[in-house]
Every structure is written in C-alpha cells, then in structure tokens.
Amino acid sequence: VGEQVHPFKRRSLMLHSPQAWRPDVGFVVAMKYKHVPYGPGVWPAFWFLNSDRPWPSGGELDVLEYANDETAKVTFHTDQNCSLNVPKMLECSAQMTGVDPDMISSCLTNYSGNALGCMPPQVRRDGEWYSNNPGVLVTVWDASGITTFHIPEGQIPADLKEDNPQPNTWPAIWRMAFMPFDPKTCVDIAHPQEIVLNIALCGDWAGNAWYSCKECKNTGFIPNYCVPGHVTEPATDCCTIYMSNPSAEEPLKTKAYFDIDYVKVFEPKGVKMPKYAAGTYRNGGVGVGDR
C-alpha cells in the first residue's frame, strides 16, 4: 500500500498476469510467499478471473481473500447452474484438520438474487496467521474440480522444488479446500483465467465490516467520531477516515504488503497448448515495465 495522494484516496495495487490458462484442460499454480497483507481496513486477494466475458460468465476463483481480521475463504463464481458434488466434498473434508463446516453447494452467482457462489467446507485462517506461517499456496484446477493447499515453508516437497508438482501424493494436512464439480451441471463454467493480486482498502467488505472488527475498533475510529460502514460517504466513513489519518501510516507500512518469492504455473505434460493473452492486457492493461 502506498502513500495518500489526496483526501480519502491512497495508492494501492492490482496486478494481472499477461497470460491466461484454461481450467478445462487443467493447471497448477504455486505462490511461494513470506508475507501477505492484513490489518484494519485492508482487503487483499489472490484470485483468478476471466476478463473477456461479463462477470461472472467467464468464471472467478478466489483462492485467498479476506478483510480486516476475518479469516480467508475459497469461493468460486459462475453464471451457470453448477453445483458441487456434496458427498464427495464431505468425504474429502473429513480427512482434513480444523475444517470450518460452513458451505454453499451452488456456484451460481447473482448478488442481487442472494446467490453468492459456492464455498466448500475448508480450513480458514486470517492474514496474520498466513504471514506468521510462510510457505506455498497451491491451486489445482481442472474440469473435475478445484483443490487448494498450504504447504509450510519447511515442508516443501522435492517434486515442487523440482518444478514437477504431484499434488495427488501430498498429505491431507496441507489441503485447505476441495471443490469437486458435479459433471452433469458444471459444463463450460469457466474460460481462460488470468492471475490477479491486489490490495483493496475499505470498500464494500472491509469498510462495511469495520464495526464487527475488534482491531478496527481499537484504532479509535468509531462512533460518534465517524459512521462505520458509511462507504458511500467517505468524509464520514470510519474506515476511510482512518486510512487518511497519519496513525494509519505505520500499520500499513509494516503489515499491508505482499512479499512473494514466486508465482509459477504448471500445465499438463504432453499437452501442447497455445498461449492465451489475458483479456486485461488485450483490452488496454499497462505492463508493469511500461510505466
């Protein structure tokens, strides 16, 4: 997160990969990190998106997304009537440790109709936990479903170190979420996906959830000084005012940042695939080196 540029506005970032990958063919993405952003008013995400089609018809997968002191969750969004295979999902989650049982089996997403997308039972941790437990976040996505892993830094297997990941051999204790698709309903649910990393500030999630966040209230930006969740009125919104206050500078500098060693994408061996340019870049996105 960068400096304040004018009242109620602060610099941040959103990075899109210049390439996109086909989930129907399959790919593995590994992000080795040392630190992820967290703190009051901070809403970071590591996710996948198709930017060629109107959202959510191209599909969206949120691998690591959370706000304030809430725990991260893995979710998938599409405009198709796709459902998760619940018996298979529950069988797998029973082998995992520390699972939050909350789930949504329908991946159909239409926020105005209260359809939020699918969310499997999963292991949920907050941003501070991830930063205190560096390692590799791995996403495996193919036509059959999606699996995510968190591998502690000291336990990275030789196959991944050698750029030959074999996730089917990895222990269940590393598994964070498993989303098996119902093959009858989950057809053509996602198109080529680009990788996105961003840090949002306040907004619909972090701003609206301000008053339910203990760490946020401890900043002192609470009623009657300001109005929590008043995100459409930045001059009175607690989160926005905090972000514009000098007291936010130190927490943002020391907590609200990504420290990433690498992001690698692996495709199936023996399959010759064309390279798909991400829609963001074809439609005018500016390369980091072009700034």
Side-chain angles (χ1 to χ4, degrees):
V1 173
E3 71 278 10
Q4 185 174 341
V5 290
H6 49 78
F8 312 126
K9 291 292 183 180
R10 182 180 288 275
R11 293 191 189 279
S12 189
L13 84 157
M14 175 176 281
L15 299 176
H16 290 246
S17 63
Q19 186 176 338
W21 294 267
R22 283 179 53 178
D24 60 324
V25 174
F27 57 77
V28 175
V29 175
M31 181 181 81
K32 187 174 184 294
Y33 75 94
K34 294 178 180 176
H35 190 279
V36 296
Y38 66 94
V42 178
W43 174 8
F46 171 52
W47 51 298
F48 301 85
L49 170 74
N50 175 274
S51 58
D52 294 314
R53 297 173 174 239
W55 187 88
S57 63
E60 174 187 321
L61 172 63
D62 301 304
V63 176
L64 186 73
E65 183 182 24
Y66 52 89
N68 303 328
D69 56 6
E70 295 188 39
T71 55
K73 55 186 178 182
V74 178
T75 57
F76 176 69
H77 307 276
T78 180
D79 66 346
Q80 304 296 310
N81 284 307
C82 163
S83 294
L84 300 179
N85 184 327
V86 174
K88 192 173 183 179
M89 182 169 60
L90 294 179
E91 180 183 358
C92 179
S93 65
Q95 303 170 21
M96 296 157 55
T97 304
V99 174
D100 183 325
D102 289 348
M103 69 174 181
I104 303 172
S105 61
S106 173
C107 302
L108 176 67
T109 305
N110 181 351
Y111 290 154
S112 62
N114 201 34
L116 306 179
C118 49
M119 181 181 73
Q122 60 190 275
V123 180
R124 297 182 60 171
R125 302 283 187 257
D126 61 18
E128 185 173 10
W129 183 92
Y130 278 104
S131 290
N132 290 333
N133 294 272
V136 186
L137 286 170
V138 179
T139 302
V140 181
W141 188 353
D142 62 23
S144 68
I146 298 164
T147 308
T148 65
F149 299 86
H150 175 269
I151 305 174
E153 189 172 38
Q155 300 178 31
I156 300 173
D159 59 328
L160 184 56
K161 289 181 179 179
E162 295 166 2
D163 290 343
N164 184 30
Q166 302 293 322
N168 289 336
T169 68
W170 296 346
I173 196 170
W174 293 346
R175 194 179 304 124
M176 302 296 279
F178 176 56
M179 306 173 75
F181 295 136
D182 172 24
K184 294 181 180 179
T185 60
C186 300
V187 178
D188 196 31
I189 56 172
H191 295 268
Q193 300 284 304
E194 56 201 76
I195 303 169
V196 188
L197 276 167
N198 72 278
I199 307 174
L201 302 174
C202 299
D204 290 341
W205 188 351
N208 282 329
W210 182 266
Y211 208 56
S212 62
C213 160
K214 181 179 179 181
E215 189 177 9
C216 300
K217 290 190 285 188
N218 287 343
T219 65
F221 289 82
I222 55 175
N224 292 323
Y225 180 73
C226 55
V227 182
H230 214 215
V231 294
T232 59
E233 298 291 341
T236 57
D237 175 57
C238 291
C239 183
T240 307
I241 294 174
Y242 166 72
M243 286 294 174
S244 302
N245 190 275
S247 63
E249 295 294 337
E250 185 64 21
L252 290 174
K253 287 180 180 178
T254 57
K255 297 179 180 179
Y257 66 93
F258 281 106
D259 185 352
I260 296 171
D261 288 344
Y262 62 71
V263 176
K264 296 181 179 181
V265 182
F266 306 94
E267 295 181 280
K269 290 185 176 180
V271 179
K272 292 184 178 181
M273 295 295 299
K275 289 190 175 182
Y276 295 89
T280 297
Y281 281 83
R282 289 203 315 276
N283 296 317
V286 178
V288 173
D290 299 331
R291 291 179 177 272

